[in-house]
Amino acid sequence: MARSNEIYYDAWDPRCKEPFGAVEAGSPVTLRFTVEQSLRPLRLALIIRQEGGAQHRLCFTQSAADGDSLLYTLTFPVGEKGLYFYRFEIETPDGIIFVGQGENARAIVGDFLPEWQLTVYGPDFHVPAHLQQGVMYQIFPDRFLRGSGSPLPPARNQRYIHQSTHERPLFTGDQPDYEATDFFGGDLPGITAKLPYLQELGVTMLYLNPIFEAAGNHRYNTGDYLKIDPYLGTEQDFADLCAEAKRLGIGVILDGVFSHTGSDSVYFNKEGHYDSVGAYQSPESPYASWYHFLDESRSQYDCWWGFTTLPNVNEVDPAFLDFICGEEGVLRHWLKLGASGWRLDVADELPDEFLRELRRCVKDFDPDAYILGEVWEDASNKCSYDVRRPYLLGEELDSVMNYPWRIAILDYMKTGNARPFYTAVMTLLDHYPPQAIETLMTPLSTHDCIRAMTLLGVNHEVEAAAQGDYRMTPEEYALGRELLRQASILQYTLPGFPSLYYGDEAGLSGFADPWNRRCYPWGEEDHELIAFFQRLGRLRQSFSDDFAQPIRFVHLSDQAVAYTRGGLLTAVNRSGEPLTLSFPAEQALISSGGEARTGIDSLTVAPYTAAIFKISSSSPILQRRPFHASTHAAYWRSARGFLQNRSHARRSFKGKIRR
């Protein structure tokens, strides 16, 4: 039986597949595959199929022979946009050798192996160009800052008002019907007042959790899409926020919650707090077609994940679709007032028809408006309700919240294992279109997950009932703080852009909802940590041209990783020994805390340290081929002669990965 080291193909090696990653519909793709002559190959074929379409068999051409190895080449045009999957078959006198995908996209021999994925996106896929070098800042509005100074106005529903930002949310862990109706009073004027602070952090995009009128402090149970919640301020306050933010070079995107409304809303009106005739009250309601009732009494209805306070809507109902996406609909109403785009809550629960219409509406109004989807998995091949979703093919989203890299970064910090981090990064770079990568939002914390400080610093189990009152020990805080700095260096230097969750930069900690939603600690900030994030923000501004360049991995070991972006090199050492790399660097720009040294011919990173270096544009490292962890070293020595021989009739890759 053939052995895997008798063949060589690596989809992450740009000398084997050109271009790297996703490709535009109708463009050419070139594959190069090396086979040992001992296998006596007669033919090499590519078996490629479009999901839901036909399968094709394309034969390679033998382009060179040298000693014990043969190089095969195939160039073909990809078809229409969609997902394609491929594998290889080698015909020999002894039968067919089946080849599929092994670890880190490298070819292995065997039956029933995974196929490689090829993402093909539409030629009209355009995204906002200004996002790539920026920084996003996410704010949970009730918990940031109350800036108006006036008493809170009356609200439709009963609300509990906290008297101090030091109080904890009203949740004990044994309240299954907790409705999140306790408020701290953060508002839009408070956010406007702190825009200079955000500017100092290098923020270029502000993402606000829902701001529309709602019964809950999270405001994901929308009461009225066309009104600001009275505790947050007025429509004019929002317009003023957007105008002042724009003056400082900051856009504002809003949280669009379109898969469900609140039961306490002008549309459903279960509690009778609105003057309207809601769908719950009558089948004659103008909103009745938005919802699905299960009985004639209208007491049973479809709701989001079983929460009766969150009735689901039929997003493709013509009346609802026009209300959200029409010429005078919700989307354009807030764009006209200054919003720069939308983050779509539970995007994987929004139908494709709705997402396409939403994109048309938003982009027709402003081609540079940003459309970000909440998708927690690999969004290129996500299945939702047994349907493959075309989020990133150019007709729905610009990009997504990058939870896979969040997990990879934090796991690397916790375990010290660099290899899964490398794999996670390369997998998305391989699967996502370059446009989606450029506008990819990478958080370390959000309102839906444990804060990074707590995750990294607390290494023991804390029971749910005790999480609300838990305070990190000085030792835990010191550990979390150091690991957060290392993690943030990765977050800020990977493709796409980083997203700071309010207060992370100030040392805020907390377990999952609602403890990750405590108030920003004004007056008690960790100013040294803030200064570190300000430096990271300035680096992204000062070296914006470098951050527009592809990522190239140049080192990987069990506990350390290094990669370049243009003339910047990021190195992370999670081992207990110094990391020395034979790459000359001009200076160390920032370190997580440990020593980062430059030399004539090398750079050194202290144990448990992350650092960013400036390297010369003439540095040999920029001329080297990208590092590929999946390369089989012993076999590569026999195959590399072909792939480096520029006398062959082929284009040179020039060692550059396309994102």
Side-chain angles (χ1 to χ4, degrees), residues 420-468:
F421 165 79
Y422 167 82
T423 299
V425 171
M426 289 299 295
T427 297
L428 289 198
L429 292 177
D430 187 18
H431 289 177
Y432 284 12
Q435 297 92 326
I437 292 292
E438 291 166 5
T439 53
L440 190 59
M441 166 200 172
T442 302
L444 294 182
S445 307
T446 73
H447 63 293
D448 282 328
C449 54
I450 183 173
R451 281 193 181 262
M453 180 71 78
T454 300
L455 182 79
L456 295 172
V458 179
N459 290 321
H460 59 90
E461 187 74 21
V462 178
E463 293 185 359
Q467 291 178 0

Side-chain angles (χ1 to χ4, degrees), residues 30-33 44 59-64 71-75 649-650:
T30 297
L31 306 181
R32 296 180 179 85
F33 196 109
L44 172 65
C59 289
F60 282 74
T61 299
Q62 182 184 321
S63 56
L71 176 66
Y72 291 84
T73 303
L74 172 65
T75 298
R650 63 177 178 82

Side-chain angles (χ1 to χ4, degrees), residues 300-497:
Q300 304 292 319
Y301 46 88
D302 281 344
C303 48
W304 188 78
W305 286 51
F307 292 98
T308 58
T309 57
L310 302 174
N312 280 331
V313 299
N314 175 10
E315 298 92 342
V316 296
D317 173 78
F320 181 79
L321 199 60
D322 183 67
F323 178 74
I324 300 297
C325 303
E327 293 297 315
E328 302 299 324
V330 171
L331 297 171
R332 294 196 175 202
H333 177 82
W334 298 104
L335 290 171
K336 290 175 184 176
L337 286 168
S340 298
W342 293 88
R343 178 265 188 187
L344 302 180
D345 185 55
V346 291
D348 51 2
E349 299 185 23
L350 298 172
D352 292 322
E353 180 182 342
F354 178 83
L355 290 174
R356 288 192 293 268
E357 185 62 17
L358 182 145
R359 184 177 185 85
R360 182 204 61 77
C361 171
V362 170
K363 296 296 186 178
D364 283 354
F365 181 85
D366 181 3
D368 280 334
Y370 182 40
I371 303 175
L372 173 72
E374 180 195 10
V375 181
W376 287 59
E377 303 84 3
D378 183 334
S380 71
N381 53 34
K382 172 70 184 286
C383 284
S384 177
Y385 301 101
D386 298 323
V387 176
R388 188 82 76 180
R389 306 302 303 275
Y391 299 125
L392 302 181
L393 300 184
E395 59 185 23
E396 295 187 356
L397 306 174
D398 287 333
S399 199
V400 292
M401 300 177 73
N402 189 6
Y403 281 103
W405 284 4
R406 170 191 175 267
I407 294 170
I409 293 170
L410 297 177
D411 281 354
Y412 177 25
M413 294 299 103
K414 293 282 282 188
T415 66
N417 189 349
R419 296 185 185 277
F421 165 79
Y422 167 82
T423 299
V425 171
M426 289 299 295
T427 297
L428 289 198
L429 292 177
D430 187 18
H431 289 177
Y432 284 12
Q435 297 92 326
I437 292 292
E438 291 166 5
T439 53
L440 190 59
M441 166 200 172
T442 302
L444 294 182
S445 307
T446 73
H447 63 293
D448 282 328
C449 54
I450 183 173
R451 281 193 181 262
M453 180 71 78
T454 300
L455 182 79
L456 295 172
V458 179
N459 290 321
H460 59 90
E461 187 74 21
V462 178
E463 293 185 359
Q467 291 178 0
D469 294 315
Y470 190 84
R471 293 294 181 268
M472 299 176 71
T473 67
E475 294 76 18
E476 288 173 338
Y477 183 81
L479 174 62
R481 186 176 186 268
E482 173 54 31
L483 293 181
L484 176 62
R485 288 159 65 107
Q486 294 179 39
S488 297
I489 284 179
L490 288 170
Q491 178 197 23
Y492 271 66
T493 56
L494 287 171
F497 57 88

Side-chain angles (χ1 to χ4, degrees), residues 65-386:
D66 182 17
D68 296 331
S69 301
L70 303 172
L71 176 66
Y72 291 84
T73 303
L74 172 65
T75 298
F76 63 97
V78 296
E80 61 186 13
K81 62 185 174 184
L83 281 191
Y84 292 74
F85 297 92
Y86 66 94
R87 55 187 174 83
F88 303 98
E89 292 181 0
I90 304 171
E91 184 179 345
T92 75
D94 300 321
I96 300 294
I97 298 172
F98 299 100
V99 179
Q101 181 178 202
E103 182 181 5
N104 287 350
R106 181 171 61 86
I108 59 174
V109 172
D111 297 332
F112 307 108
L113 292 170
E115 299 171 297
W116 286 269
Q117 175 182 315
L118 177 62
T119 305
V120 179
Y121 57 89
D124 55 350
F125 190 5
H126 301 291
V127 297
H130 60 86
L131 288 175
Q132 186 173 358
Q133 292 85 41
V135 175
M136 177 178 277
Y137 193 86
Q138 179 189 349
I139 291 179
F140 194 81
D142 183 60
R143 309 296 161 82
F144 191 62
L145 178 67
R146 178 151 185 80
S148 63
S150 57
L152 291 170
R156 297 179 189 274
N157 59 308
Q158 184 175 357
R159 300 184 178 190
Y160 174 85
I161 312 302
H162 288 274
Q163 299 305 306
S164 168
T165 57
H166 296 289
E167 295 179 10
R168 67 175 222 164
L170 293 183
F171 181 75
T172 63
D174 58 357
Q175 296 174 295
D177 298 322
Y178 171 67
E179 295 182 357
T181 53
D182 58 315
F183 290 76
F184 286 86
D187 59 14
L188 297 179
I191 298 172
T192 303
K194 290 298 181 180
L195 286 174
Y197 165 72
L198 301 183
Q199 186 184 40
E200 290 178 359
L201 287 168
V203 172
T204 55
M205 184 65 72
L206 182 58
Y207 156 39
L208 302 181
N209 287 111
I211 64 171
F212 307 135
E213 183 175 85
N217 57 47
H218 50 72
R219 300 185 173 96
Y220 283 96
N221 49 346
T222 310
D224 192 331
Y225 287 108
L226 296 174
K227 290 184 179 179
I228 300 288
D229 190 272
Y231 279 21
L232 290 176
T234 66
E235 196 170 272
Q236 186 60 51
D237 289 329
F238 175 73
D240 291 345
L241 168 62
C242 291
E244 180 61 14
K246 183 177 181 180
R247 187 184 72 81
L248 297 176
I250 302 172
V252 179
I253 66 169
L254 296 177
D255 216 329
V257 188
F258 302 130
S259 69
H260 53 270
T261 68
S263 60
D264 189 1
S265 67
V266 66
Y267 320 107
F268 203 76
N269 208 12
K270 183 177 181 178
E271 308 302 329
H273 289 158
Y274 291 84
D275 294 335
S276 64
V277 178
Y280 183 81
Q281 297 164 312
S282 171
E284 303 303 319
S285 167
Y287 312 109
S289 63
W290 293 15
Y291 304 94
H292 178 60
F293 292 91
L294 305 179
D295 58 17
E296 293 184 2
S297 71
R298 311 182 77 74
S299 61
Q300 304 292 319
Y301 46 88
D302 281 344
C303 48
W304 188 78
W305 286 51
F307 292 98
T308 58
T309 57
L310 302 174
N312 280 331
V313 299
N314 175 10
E315 298 92 342
V316 296
D317 173 78
F320 181 79
L321 199 60
D322 183 67
F323 178 74
I324 300 297
C325 303
E327 293 297 315
E328 302 299 324
V330 171
L331 297 171
R332 294 196 175 202
H333 177 82
W334 298 104
L335 290 171
K336 290 175 184 176
L337 286 168
S340 298
W342 293 88
R343 178 265 188 187
L344 302 180
D345 185 55
V346 291
D348 51 2
E349 299 185 23
L350 298 172
D352 292 322
E353 180 182 342
F354 178 83
L355 290 174
R356 288 192 293 268
E357 185 62 17
L358 182 145
R359 184 177 185 85
R360 182 204 61 77
C361 171
V362 170
K363 296 296 186 178
D364 283 354
F365 181 85
D366 181 3
D368 280 334
Y370 182 40
I371 303 175
L372 173 72
E374 180 195 10
V375 181
W376 287 59
E377 303 84 3
D378 183 334
S380 71
N381 53 34
K382 172 70 184 286
C383 284
S384 177
Y385 301 101
D386 298 323

